[in-house]
Structure formats: structure tokens, C-alpha cells
Amino acid sequence: MLKLNSIRHLILVLLWILLPLIAEGGWCAVCGQTTASTSKSISATVAKSDSTSLKTNNGGTVNSTLSGRTVAHRDSASQALVDSVAALNRKLEQEGKKTGKKSSSMIDAPVEYKAQDSLVFTANGIGYLYGQGEVVYKQRHPMQISADYIEFNSDSNTVFARGVVDSLGNEHGTPIFKDGSSEYGSKTMSYNFKTRKGYIRGGVTEEGEGYIIADKTKKTEDDQLFLQGGKYTTCSNHEHPHFYLQLTKAKVKPGGFLAAGPAYMVLEDVPLPIAVPFGFFPMTTKRSSGVIMPTFGDEMQRGLYLRDGGYYFAINDYVDLQLKGEIFTKGTWGVTLASNYKWRYHFSGDINISYREDVTGEKNLPTYSKNKNFKLSWRHTQDSKSSQYSTFSASVDFATSGYNKSNVNYYYNPIEQSKNITSSSVNYSQRFPDSQWSISLTASLSQRTADSTISLNFPSLTVTLGRIYPFKKKNRVGKEKFYEKISFSYNMNFTNSISCKESQLFHSSLAKDWNNKITHRPSIQASYTILKYITLTPTINYNSTMSFRKVEQEWDVEQQQVMRDTVPGFFYTQNFSGGISLSTKLYGFYTPNRKIFGNKIDRIRHVLTPSVNYSYSPDFGKPFWGMYKTYDKLIVDKNNINQFTRESVRYSPYIDAPGVGETNAISWTLDNNLEMKVIDKKASDTSSTIIYKKVSLIDKLSLSTGYNFAADSMNWSYLAVNLRLKLTKKFTLNLNGNFDPYMYELNANNMPVRVNKLRWSHGKSLYFMGTSTSFQYTFNNDTFKRKEKEKKQDTDNADLPPDEGSYLGDEIYGSGFDHDHDHETAEVVKDDEGYTKPEFKWSLSFNYSIALVVKSGLDNFDYQKMQYKRGINHSLSVNGYINPTPKWQLNYNASFDLTVKKITNLTMTIRRDLHCWYLNASVTPISYAAYGTSFMVTIGANASMLRDLKYDKRSDNSSNVNWF
């Protein structure tokens, strides 16, 4: 009696033989005649039982091969085959129910297979798929195998796949296995759909930023991989990776981890004497906590070290936490707490707290020192969508003065090196709807790193009332009354501040060392128009300060110094001032001579804005106001106690006392603006009417001076001049300078002093005290591509309205300054032979600063002209990069003091992209700053998960090299 499988196979063979006889077209295996053309797409489905059925794609034909004979079937023949196989399916199922046994080859879900070129079935139940074959096990989580050659055994439910080799010996169409979200590539692959086990040769799978390459791989039913002769690398060149960890054996849980046995490093096929007995690599896309591997190194001052090692806590979707530490063999240790947080549409930020005890030198030696250092940095940003009326922000950057100086990374961070003063602030503000009231709460800290002086203001509360018009009627009838234009504003500020050395901050007294005060600043202002064109603006300001302590002073004759006594209490000071201003605008138009200038220039407009301001405040240093006191200062000669000098010293014991002296001054300001209106030729050529545009000749020329009636001498102030020229769209020239109206003479000691004599009264012009300006420019590959730039300018100016977008330099002197360096998508340039031309990328930026200044010192005083000499100080800084190839980059930064003709700083950095590695080398051979010269060499992996896999050699403050 034949077995069930044998009967099934016999029926299938008969069906395949009879099928060409009933076909209406195609190539007949019996008569050998050619019929209708065949399709290139083939597909079939293996049902849940061990029987086979075929189905067509999109109503096309089905190509099959049996014992090397190709037949083509139209839909009717295909349907007959499907019906026959379906009947066999039902028969097998019924027999299985009667016997109570299930066929050993039955699987739990349909298997769909297809091929691009041909599909071959043999009598023993094996199918062959040629050309982009694909087998899909359509279970709940489908599994798929794709390759150019696939063998499918319907009896054992196994699949074997491999690639094919073309005539040139290149292999393509190698197997790709997809199981849910996991995907594996290989040379060859065998897989059992029923047991879910597989055997893979030359498998490649990507996990995170790395790739796992294995010579032999076994896949178990729980989707775990067991590797032998494996490699782990972040290099995308799978055939020949530049570096990898050679894994003798390993276990991989996709999306989970890679656990490896003994492994060693291989670099450019050269095994390195760097081995580990075991390794564990987490590979997950989900949030997970884990160990942070430390960095090993050596530092001359503090010895061998392990740095930046610790643990990472993945707390939740909104916040994480890093706890890292460092330890040195000579005693230095530190700990760092860092966290990032983000709540979408609400706020985001990060915080970093570090504490370190720095020990340098050897004990019992003069160079030994031990210091405690601390650093706090905090950044908090509120999303604008979170609240319409309240904001909270923080920018904190505080560190003890020795923190950076004892940090080796400080020498390679130009930003940190250039910081002389650091500032921190935390601010909360609240506005009230439909109201002019607002409040603000601020804490600020300013730190001077040179002498460790800090200025702390905590807290600072400000209450502000915006400008209101208390006398304005809501429903006014008739003209506006003069009192309705009176406005009122108010500001209240409470501050608690201290300025001291950072070592004294936590030992200070709140009552004696901190300054506490409340300041009220109401203001009244109005604006009126007189004589139609003149604006009159009177202003009254009041300022009162309430403080909680005062400092009394007296002279100690014995110790020859000032003795200060802090007296707590409640004290009140006040001052006020008033003023009035007049301003207007004058317009003048000039039409150029048409015979000389033609019709291009329509007219020239000159706008003058004169203003006069008068201000007054009394002398609050007079005894009437009671804000100042005096004491006698008796200075005794140390060599002869009978000789002494006496003087009276005036001081104020109150915080924020008003200044001494009366203010009764008037000032004048004259602003000038000069423009001309010209024909826009390009725009007019495309329009039926003449279109004009404005050209700025002088954007601003301002002259201002003043006269103080209350001063007993030298009543005139400096003449200040401000000039602004818009030379091009991107470049504006600003010049500011002062002119001194008074002369110099020699006093009794033959020293030059400024006297109350006006220069113009003695036939001399005003003394120019200097000015300064700077120029910035960048050259790169696109700078001299004039044609492309002109096309872009035409496009940009096409949509501009008339009288916009033109400046003096563009119209008259040409566009000599080109600051438009937007990198557009460049077309691929090829040479005459069709090869892509290599593009040499480079950039050169320079900043030139020049200043005309008055030199100080007796050596620079001209006794003939009776004035100080002037001199020019100028400097030049250059920075940029050069990319000779896509893999090489040279960055440079240099500063030149052209006055003393010295290079003040020079830094060069070379970076080489080694595909999956990088090389950085930085050297500062010239530096006159406190941190001196330095060098650094780093070789490391590009992948972030292997950032600790690097070699780092740096100099420190004890090993700096004097290159010159």
C-alpha cells in the first residue's frame, strides 16, 4: 500500500503531465509547437496542508517547469490545476481526521512564493525559484526569504537560498531574511518554517550603529543567533571592514544584546594585542539604563586616571540621569551629575553639577596643592506655545576659579579660554491679561575669573506698570484736552546683592555684607505739538530708595585708616529730575542739473532731525537734603609725628545715594539722512511705467554736544559725531568719534592738564580724539562665480517693491563687497572625458580692526602743539578651512597684532575621515594667553556607541612646548 505522500506526489505528476494537453496556448511539450507568449512574473501558494496550489498575479499566466520542460498556462488551465489541488487538499484533510494523525509536513500558515524568471517543481516536492525569488511564510509576524536562487522543499518545509555569480565573477542576489523588524543578509541560508530554525553562512545583520558579520550562524526558534567566527564593526564595508572585534563565539538577541566570548581587535587586517575575555554590547532602540565605560589616560601632574565612567539612568520618556566619576592615582577625584529633560510643547533643558578635589604634585614638596572645585551649568528653555502670559528661562554657567585651570580639556576649548567674565541668570516673568501690570523675578550672577570676584543679585523682584493715560476719557467729545495727553508709568525693584571673593560668599553676613534695597521710580510724561511741526515733550522723574542698613565712616588717627561701622535699620533716600525736549523734521529736495547728470537721478532728498533737550536736578550733596556727611581726615607724617595734614572728606552712608552736584544742562543733536531717487532700469524695462528706487548716500550723520550751566568751568561737553554708510546690501560702515573743545596747558609741576580755554577762541580747531571700525569678509569657492550671483540677484530683486534694495556701493561704485555666500546645490562638473572633476573646497575669513586713539603718558605729549599724540592700533584675525579631498580638512585660526607686528595666536587642526574612524590633530604653536601653547592628537571611532574606543594624547600646563 502506497503511503499518503506517495499517492499525493503521483497525482501531482499526472496533473503536471496532462496540463499541457489541455492548454490553449504556449509551448506544448507534446507537439513542440510555440503558442502565446509568457509572463515574467510567477507566484504560487503552499496551503496549510502538504498539498500545493497555484495562483496567478493580476490575471496573467503562470510559468512552470517540470523535468526541464517549460509550459505556459492561461487562466483556464491554471484554474483547473488549482481546483484539482484543492480537491486533493480536502481529501488529505479528511483522511487525517479519520486516522487522527496530522501529516508531519503540515505547517500552521500559508507559504507564498514567487520568482521573476522561472519556477521549477520536481516530482519529489522540491521547487526551484530563479531570479529575484521570494518565499513568505504568512503567519502573524510574516517571515520572508529573498534571493536569486531558492530551493523550497514542501515536504520538510525547508528553504535553501543563495546568490548567483555572473559572467564577470560578481556575486549578486544573495539571500536576505526578514523576520518582523529584523533583517539579515548572508551568503547562503537554510531555514525551516515549521521549527523556525536556520543555518546561515556569511551572515550580516545591522544592530544599532554596528554590524555583526559571522562565518557560521545558527538561528533558534526563539530568534536568538549563535555565531562562530564572527566580527563586530561599525564599518559599512562588510566585505573588508577597516576594523572590527574578532569574536570567537557570540550570542545575539536581536534588539537586545550581543554577548561575546574571547575577542580581540583587528585593524586593517592586522590583529592587535588588545583582547578582552568577554564582551557585552546592549543593542536596543528602547530606553534602557546601563554602565558608562570610563576613559583611561595619563597626566603628568595628577598621574594615571579613569575618567567619565559611571552609570546612565533612563528614568522615563521625559528625563534621564548620568552619574559619572573620575579618579587619579595621585589623589584627585571628582563626581558629575548630569540630566537632560524635555516635555514637548512645554519646556526643555539640561543640568550639570560637578565636584572635584584636585591634588597636584607630591606630598611634602613645595609644588603640592589640594583644592576643592565646583561647577554648575543649567539651561532651561520654555516653549512659546506653553503659556501666553508667563515665561521662565535659565542660563547658568558658574564654576570656581580653579575648576577650568585644573581641567585638562580647558586647554583645547577656545571658548572657555576666552571667557574673562561669565554671567548667569534665572528669570521668571508674568504678565496679566487686559492689564499694564507685570512682574519679574530674577537671580543673576557675574563672575570675573581673573581674580575670582563674583557679583550676586538674589533675588531681584521687579513690578512694572506700563504707560497709562489716567486723564484720558473713554468716550471723548470734541478735541483732546492737554491733560489727557499726560501719561504715567511706574517701576518698583527689590534687590538683594553682594560683591565679594568667591571664598567669602558662604561666610558673609546677610545683615552686614548684603545690600538690600527697594527702589520706586514713577515717571510722568506728556507730548504736545506746537507750531504744527514741533514736538514738545516734558518729563518728570522721581526716584526713592529704601534700604535696611547704612555704613558710617570715621578716621582712625592711630591706625591711619578709615573705620567703617554697619548700622542696621530702615533708611530712606530720594532724588528727582525734570526735563523738556523739542524736536522736529526738516525736508530738503534737490534736482540735479539734467544736462550734467541726465535723467537717471530724479532728485536728492536731505532729511534733518534737530532736537534740543534740557534737564535739571538739584545738588543732593548739600546739607539741606541730609544725604551726605563729612569727617576730618588727619594724615600724620610717619617720620615726624608733629607734621600732619588735615582734609575734610564727604561721604554718604546710604545705599544708592544720588550723585553730588547740580545738573542744569542743555544738549543739541542734529541727525542727517541723504538719499537719492534713481530709475530702476531693470524693473522699468519690463514695465509700462518708470519705476524708481532709493539709493542711500548717507544713512546717518549725527552731531551732538551739550552745555552745563551749573558747572563752574568747562561747561561744554565733547562734540560726538556718528557716521553710518550703507556701502552694499550686506556691509555697513559705522564710525564714531569725539572732538575735544578745550586746550591743554602745563601746571606748576610742568605736567599737562586740561584747562578752561576753548580751542576755537585761540584759533585752533576741535581736537579729534579718534575713532574705530572693523571689516569682516569671507572668501570661498563661490565668491568669484559672478555670473551665478548676478542671476540670483535678479531673481531676488524681481519681487521687491520700488525704492527698495539698493545702496550706494551697488549703484555707483559697484558691488565690491560680496557677502552672499549661500551654498546652493551645485551641478556636477565633468571634464572632457566625462569624469567628475574634483572640487577643492576652501574658505578664508578675515576680520580687520583699526582704531585711531589718543596715546597716554608724558612720552606721547607734544609740547609744541600742546596736545597728546594720536596713533593707530590695528589687528587682523584670519580663520577658515581647506578641503583638498573629501576626506581631508585643515582648519586654521590666527591673530596678528599689526601695531607691534606680532602673531598673538595661531591654532591649526587637521582632520582625516578614515571611513569608520577619524584622526584629529590640533596644535597651538603660538599663544600669548595665560594657557600657553598646546597640542592634541586623537584617533577614534566615528560611531557614538564606540566613542570611548580611541587614543587621545594631549599636553597640559606642565608639558606645554615653547615652539618659538
Side-chain angles (χ1 to χ4, degrees), residues 600-602 676-680 691-693 695 811:
K600 184 177 181 179
I601 302 176
D602 181 70
M676 66 179 179
K677 189 176 181 181
V678 299
I679 297 175
D680 189 342
I691 298 177
Y692 295 91
K693 60 181 178 181
V695 176
E811 284 296 317

Side-chain angles (χ1 to χ4, degrees), residues 98 121 205 340 442 494 796 892 907:
K98 291 179 180 180
F121 273 93
T205 178
N340 296 278
T442 305
F494 166 76
D796 293 343
Y892 52 89
T907 300

Side-chain angles (χ1 to χ4, degrees), residues 731-942:
F731 180 73
T732 301
L733 176 64
N734 284 287
L735 294 173
N736 299 304
N738 292 323
F739 292 83
D740 189 356
Y742 291 99
M743 298 175 56
Y744 281 89
E745 289 186 354
L746 301 179
N747 60 8
N749 297 323
N750 203 32
M751 299 290 291
V753 293
R754 194 164 173 257
V755 296
N756 188 27
K757 292 183 179 180
L758 295 172
R759 296 178 66 89
W760 60 71
S761 299
H762 295 75
K764 295 184 179 182
S765 60
L766 298 179
Y767 179 63
F768 182 47
M769 302 183 66
T771 185
S772 63
T773 188
S774 62
F775 303 91
Q776 297 180 1
Y777 195 75
T778 299
F779 297 96
N780 57 21
N781 301 68
D782 302 326
T783 301
F784 302 104
K785 296 180 180 179
R786 307 302 305 169
K787 187 175 181 180
E788 289 79 3
K789 181 179 180 297
E790 290 174 358
K791 291 181 179 179
K792 184 177 184 299
Q793 285 181 339
D794 294 342
T795 304
D796 293 343
N797 293 333
D799 297 332
L800 291 177
D803 301 340
E804 296 288 341
S806 184
Y807 299 92
L808 174 64
D810 295 330
E811 284 296 317
I812 299 179
Y813 297 106
S815 184
F817 293 89
D818 178 12
H819 292 262
D820 189 1
H821 301 303
D822 296 335
H823 294 282
E824 300 179 2
T825 303
E827 297 182 358
V828 178
V829 181
K830 296 185 178 182
D831 57 18
D832 297 336
E833 298 181 358
Y835 294 98
T836 302
K837 288 184 178 180
E839 186 175 3
F840 185 87
K841 290 188 175 296
W842 59 275
S843 176
L844 172 62
S845 300
F846 72 88
N847 186 315
Y848 176 72
S849 300
I850 183 171
L852 178 64
V853 297
V854 176
K855 297 182 178 181
S856 60
L858 295 178
D859 296 338
N860 296 313
F861 188 77
D862 190 340
Y863 289 91
Q864 294 181 353
K865 297 181 179 180
M866 296 303 295
Q867 64 187 27
Y868 281 95
K869 299 177 182 178
R870 290 183 291 260
I872 295 178
N873 294 336
H874 52 143
S875 62
L876 176 67
S877 62
V878 179
N879 65 82
Y881 65 86
I882 299 174
N883 287 5
T885 68
K887 300 293 184 180
W888 281 97
Q889 185 177 82
L890 170 65
N891 295 277
Y892 52 89
N893 191 330
S895 299
F896 308 89
D897 190 335
L898 301 178
T899 304
V900 297
K901 299 180 180 179
K902 284 186 178 181
I903 302 175
T904 56
N905 184 72
L906 176 61
T907 300
M908 293 179 292
T909 302
I910 297 177
R911 180 179 177 86
R912 175 68 165 95
D913 185 0
L914 302 173
H915 191 251
C916 46
W917 287 72
Y918 69 90
L919 167 67
N920 272 352
S922 177
V923 60
T924 304
I926 302 175
S927 179
Y928 291 95
Y931 45 85
T933 60
S934 62
F935 68 89
M936 175 186 67
V937 178
T938 302
I939 302 176
N942 284 326

Side-chain angles (χ1 to χ4, degrees), residues 129 143 163 173 198 231 508 594 736 761 766 777 859 899 943 958 964:
L129 285 67
M143 289 181 290
K231 303 175 183 178
S508 60
R594 300 302 182 189
N736 299 304
S761 299
L766 298 179
Y777 195 75
D859 296 338
T899 304
S958 62
F964 299 97

Side-chain angles (χ1 to χ4, degrees), residues 636-641 643:
V636 180
D637 190 348
K638 295 181 180 181
N639 299 323
N640 187 354
I641 59 175
Q643 292 184 2

Side-chain angles (χ1 to χ4, degrees), residues 94 113 162 251 269 275 340 345 358 435 542 546 550 653 714 739 888:
Q94 291 175 1
Y113 53 94
R162 62 172 173 80
K251 177 182 178 180
D269 295 334
N340 296 278
Y345 306 125
D358 290 295
S435 174
Y542 180 80
M546 295 178 288
K550 67 177 182 178
M714 298 185 185
F739 292 83
W888 281 97

